Amino acid sequence: AQRVTQPEKLLSVFKGAPVELKCNYSYSGSPELFWYVQYSRQRLQLLLRHISRESIKGFTADLNKGETSFHLKKPFAQEEDSAMYYCALRRGSQGNLIFGKGTKLSVKP
Amino acid sequence: GAGVSQSPSNKVTEKGKDVELRCDPISGHTALYWYRQSLGQGLEFLIYFQGNSAPDKSGLPSDRFSAERTGGSVSTLTIQRTQQEDSAVYLCASSYTSGGVHEQFFGPGTRLTVL
């Protein structure tokens, strides 16, 4: 079965501290993985996708097929990073996204 | 340019009534998705339209839920005989795939409250 697991519902860190939001997946094929973010009172938006191997707002995520993980990392968290983060897996080449239940990141001053 | 829009932004209804939720995707996007966002359940896929193909309805939770997409553009999600457990935020997304790169753009959602 295809599944995305985000084990932490809430992650609280201080400004300037490193942050890692965990994501594990199960999928029988070759996965396409994403991180979406939802800031307070804003719509869900794409943060980054694994195939682009990009760094957005200082965040990076590496696909580890051996551990079936796609953890999101940032070396120095900022208060404006506080938001809800969702890891998602795309089903097939033309399918919908399967989301994890999300992790709420709170960055304290 | 305009993003995905949804209406109404909020809907309060009584148990047993039917509701219709509307989604206007980004012009030119061939794929349209409906998701449901509820506390404790996260984001759940409901239904997916791709061009003129038959929709993928595998995520619809019951036969009270249905959706249409007219003219390859606007979509309506209908929930018949609403139940309290239908209360959630219903999100619509549209997407393009270019050069193998896929991105879904989400609307602001419709918050449905069933009393």
Side-chain angles (χ1 to χ4, degrees):
Chain A
Q2 301 136 5
R3 186 164 50 243
V4 176
T5 303
Q6 294 178 252
E8 303 133 332
K9 283 187 179 179
L10 174 65
L11 187 61
S12 185
V13 300
F14 285 102
K15 176 183 172 181
V19 63
E20 180 179 49
L21 288 82
K22 291 184 168 51
C23 172
N24 288 88
Y25 67 90
S26 63
Y27 185 62
S28 57
S30 182
E32 191 174 353
L33 286 156
F34 305 82
W35 277 98
Y36 276 79
V37 61
Q38 190 168 29
Y39 300 102
S40 180
R41 293 188 174 82
Q42 294 188 27
R43 62 183 69 188
L44 196 63
Q45 59 186 282
L46 178 67
L47 180 61
L48 52 80
R49 53 174 79 89
H50 91 269
I51 61 171
S52 300
R53 302 187 64 81
E54 57 204 342
S55 174
I56 303 293
K57 299 184 179 182
F59 284 97
T60 58
D62 290 318
L63 178 61
N64 186 323
K65 291 187 179 181
E67 296 182 359
T68 60
S69 68
F70 188 56
H71 302 328
L72 183 68
K73 300 177 184 179
K74 184 169 182 176
F76 307 104
Q78 303 299 314
E79 290 179 67
E80 56 264 30
D81 296 329
S82 295
M84 196 73 183
Y85 291 80
Y86 293 94
C87 182
L89 179 153
R90 184 165 170 235
R91 194 171 66 107
S93 62
Q94 298 227 35
N96 56 285
L97 294 172
I98 298 169
F99 286 90
K101 293 193 175 182
T103 297
K104 184 175 182 179
L105 175 64
S106 174
V107 182
K108 299 178 180 177
Chain B
V4 177
S5 61
Q6 293 185 245
S7 61
S9 55
N10 279 283
K11 176 72 177 177
V12 180
T13 190
E14 292 179 349
K15 177 182 171 181
K17 296 282 178 75
D18 298 351
V19 295
E20 283 189 353
L21 312 179
R22 177 188 167 105
C23 171
D24 283 89
I26 293 172
S27 177
H29 282 191
T30 58
L32 186 148
Y33 311 80
W34 283 98
Y35 296 89
R36 178 167 69 174
Q37 187 176 31
S38 53
L39 284 174
Q41 296 299 318
L43 279 150
E44 303 171 275
F45 163 69
L46 297 176
I47 188 169
Y48 157 53
F49 296 88
Q50 172 63 56
N52 295 320
S53 303
D56 177 351
K57 304 179 183 179
S58 60
L60 294 178
S62 78
D63 59 8
R64 296 186 295 104
F65 288 73
S66 62
E68 289 184 339
R69 188 178 186 193
T70 54
S73 182
V74 171
S75 178
T76 302
L77 177 70
T78 301
I79 309 174
Q80 295 178 309
R81 304 181 303 281
T82 52
Q83 303 295 312
Q84 288 183 333
E85 61 262 28
D86 300 334
S87 295
V89 176
Y90 289 82
L91 296 176
C92 176
S94 68
S95 73
Y96 72 92
T97 300
S98 175
V101 176
H102 176 85
E103 180 171 354
Q104 292 186 19
F105 294 81
F106 284 79
T110 293
R111 181 176 296 279
L112 175 66
T113 303
V114 182
L115 301 177

